């Protein structure tokens, strides 16, 4: 399949500043991830905890999580000015920040938890990103990371058939060799094993790994996609909970 989109010129930053590039993911993933974080944080107590949604996009995921994190402060962070404009319509706090270069505008060990939802697959330097997240997290702080699964159940079949796996992209201008129509800028993909090893190597203790469905699966296959979540190694989306050691 070859679906051609209008050419985009300039840098990777220009690509993500394009309003046509999707900046939100499916609600089921957001809810599952929010429940994991709510269990980890527990009751907010007198002051609550500070939670950053890094790569918040249009704020949909954080707004979906907010009712499950009552009493905690959620701050959206993104490098895209266009995404932040939309996020501020949904979130009380949304600030500009980057995981590389000058880093995030937060002091070291000042944050209790980080939501990192479908961001790591877009990064040129994911190692530096986890270093920066580890810097701002308090000791024992929580990282909730989600990312597409390279070894999702359908990708295994597609590879056997010689088809490019879903979620993988070879161009920022068009889709080549795989199902789908949207170009979203994925640079890196992980299996469950690779994600565990990558996060552990960055100085985190992996607490739990769960699976979540993918909103882009065709409707006749969605029941099967939900069943696959019981085995994270086969699920569409990987949800990982880790703590700063």
């Amino acid at each position: 399949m070859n679906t051609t989109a209008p050419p985009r010129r300039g840098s990777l930053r220009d690509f993500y500043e394009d309003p046509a590039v999707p900046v939100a993911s499916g609600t089921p993933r957001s809810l599952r991830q929010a429940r994991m974080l709510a269990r980890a944080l527990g009751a907010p107590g007198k002051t609550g905890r500070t939670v950053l949604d890094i790569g918040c996009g249009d704020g949909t995921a954080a707004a979906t999580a907010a009712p499950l994190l009552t009493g905690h402060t959620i701050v959206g962070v993104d490098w895209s000015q266009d995404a932040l404009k939309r996020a501020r319509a949904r979130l009380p706090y949304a600030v500009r920040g980057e995981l590389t270069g000058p880093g995030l505008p937060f002091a070291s060990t000042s944050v209790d938890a980080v939501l990192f939802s479908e961001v790591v697959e877009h990064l040129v330097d994911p190692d530096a990103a986890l270093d920066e997240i580890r810097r701002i997290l308090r000791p024992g702080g929580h990282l909730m990371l989600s990312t597409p699964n390279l070894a999702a159940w359908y990708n295994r079949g597609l590879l056997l058939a010689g088809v490019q796996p879903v979620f993988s992209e070879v161009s920022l201008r068009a889709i080549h060799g795989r199902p789908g129509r949207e170009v979203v800028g994925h640079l890196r993909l992980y299996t469950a094993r690779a994600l565990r090893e990558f996060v552990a190597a960055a100085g985190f203790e992996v607490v739990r790994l769960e699976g979540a469905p993918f909103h882009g699966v065709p409707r006749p296959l969605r029941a099967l996609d939900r069943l696959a979540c019981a085995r994270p190694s086969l699920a569409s989306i990987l949800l990982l909970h880790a703590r700063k050691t």
Side-chain angles (χ1 to χ4, degrees), residues 119-134:
V119 177
V120 69
E121 65 271 15
H122 298 269
L123 301 179
V124 173
D125 189 351
D127 303 280
L130 285 198
D131 288 345
E132 179 65 0
I133 289 172
R134 194 172 187 278

Side-chain angles (χ1 to χ4, degrees), residues 28-54:
R29 187 271 299 150
S30 299
L31 286 172
R32 288 180 185 231
Q33 192 174 42
R35 292 188 189 106
M36 290 174 70
L37 180 55
R39 289 195 299 268
L41 291 177
K46 293 182 180 179
T47 59
R49 310 287 182 88
T50 300
V51 178
L52 300 188
D53 182 5
I54 298 178

Side-chain angles (χ1 to χ4, degrees), residues 4 19 116 196:
T4 302
F116 202 43
R196 282 179 177 273

